[in-house]
């Protein structure tokens, strides 16, 4: 069960509309390494995790990723609010506008809609945790790329916060991987195969 506090995890106050920037940032909503995929990945993986501590990490991080989706959505909305016809056309926003007006739709910066293939759920402790570590690194790189391209300080401020949280999540999953490898035995640890190891118990 979740309790929802009706405020953003970190404030978003963007003063200048900019549909070009919105089309970049929206990738962290519905792109291949975005927050929607992250939250769905972790919420799905937690059911197969055998250890309560790992379930707790996945639930905590997934919940925060939902909050990050909310922040990214707020950024996109503020960057596209009250657009004029001239801004829509000049900003290259017309194709998106035709399909979604200024609604926030899960799509990558390249224009592809969100796909379930973006998430990895294997039901294997090590496979899933390594997937999570890679996902957090890829999300961090995406935020790095956005920060290289965007100079508006109102936009950069929440992006820098989100980037830092990806680093924290990576560290949490690293702790989870250490916990898992300490507990797994030769029957379910990838480095061993019971058919080859007669001493496996």
């Amino acid at each position: 069960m979740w309790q929802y506090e009706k405020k953003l995890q970190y404030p978003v106050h963007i003063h200048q509309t900019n549909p070009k920037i919105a089309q970049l940032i929206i990738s962290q909503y519905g792109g291949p390494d975005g927050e929607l995929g992250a939250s769905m990945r972790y919420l799905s993986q937690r059911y197969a995790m055998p250890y309560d501590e790992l379930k707790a990490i996945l639930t905590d991080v997934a919940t925060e990723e939902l909050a990050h989706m909310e922040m990214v959505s707020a950024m996109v909305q503020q960057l596209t609010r009250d657009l004029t016809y001239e801004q829509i056309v000049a900003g290259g926003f017309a194709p998106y506008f035709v399909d979604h007006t200024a609604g926030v739709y899960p799509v990558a910066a390249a224009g592809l809609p969100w796909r379930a293939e973006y998430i990895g759920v294997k039901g294997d402790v090590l496979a899933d945790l390594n997937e999570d570590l890679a996902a957090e690194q890829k999300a961090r790189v995406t935020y790095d790329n956005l920060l290289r391209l965007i100079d508006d300080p109102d936009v950069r401020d929440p992006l820098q916060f989100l980037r830092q949280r990806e680093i924290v999540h990576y560290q949490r999953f690293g702790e989870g991987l250490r916990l898992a490898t300490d507990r797994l035995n030769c029957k379910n640890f990838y480095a061993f195969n019971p058919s080859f190891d007669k001493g496996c118990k």
Side-chain angles (χ1 to χ4, degrees):
M1 180 63 67
W2 283 270
Q3 291 183 336
Y4 175 56
E5 187 175 357
K6 295 184 179 181
K7 69 175 186 177
L8 294 178
Q9 183 184 10
Y10 188 87
V12 175
H13 300 296
I14 299 171
H15 298 94
Q16 293 289 108
T17 56
N18 190 321
K20 287 184 179 179
I21 292 178
Q23 290 175 92
L24 300 175
I25 288 175
I26 204 164
S27 217
Q28 280 303 80
Y29 181 70
D33 305 308
E35 307 293 357
L36 173 59
S39 61
M40 293 300 100
R41 178 186 304 108
Y42 307 144
L43 289 173
S44 299
Q45 285 178 357
R46 66 187 177 143
Y47 292 102
M49 279 295 167
Y51 309 121
D52 288 341
E53 297 93 332
L54 294 179
K55 288 180 183 177
I57 290 172
L58 287 166
T59 304
D60 288 348
V61 177
T63 301
E64 186 172 350
E65 302 292 14
L66 292 171
H68 294 174
M69 280 177 59
E70 190 176 35
M71 284 181 62
V72 173
S73 298
M75 295 174 77
V76 171
Q77 187 276 322
Q78 291 179 27
L79 285 163
T80 59
R81 64 178 175 251
D82 303 323
L83 289 175
T84 65
Y85 169 81
E86 290 76 18
Q87 288 172 318
I88 291 168
V89 174
F93 197 67
Y96 183 95
F97 184 83
V98 167
D99 290 334
H100 310 292
T101 319
V104 180
Y105 180 75
V107 64
L112 297 171
W114 186 84
R115 305 165 62 102
E117 291 96 329
Y118 291 160
I119 70 172
V121 180
K122 196 68 175 176
D124 175 87
V125 177
L126 296 175
D128 283 348
L129 288 171
N130 279 288
E131 166 78 19
D132 301 342
L133 286 162
E136 294 298 327
Q137 278 295 91
K138 289 187 282 186
R140 194 266 309 154
V141 171
T142 304
Y143 281 119
D144 283 345
N145 293 341
L146 289 169
L147 288 164
R148 289 183 181 104
L149 296 171
I150 296 167
D151 57 8
D152 183 336
D154 290 344
V155 180
R156 290 179 60 84
D157 183 48
L159 287 177
Q160 288 168 334
F161 170 83
L162 290 165
R163 179 193 181 279
Q164 183 60 36
R165 296 308 300 164
E166 304 299 347
I167 295 169
V168 172
H169 295 170
Y170 182 87
Q171 293 168 338
R172 297 272 326 263
F173 287 128
E175 294 163 6
L177 183 60
R178 285 189 292 278
L179 183 150
T181 52
D182 286 346
R183 293 192 182 177
L184 293 172
N185 61 33
C186 60
K187 290 182 180 177
N188 53 13
F189 185 45
Y190 74 97
F192 298 95
N193 186 323
S195 63
F196 301 131
D197 186 357
K198 303 302 183 187
C200 181
K201 296 181 180 180

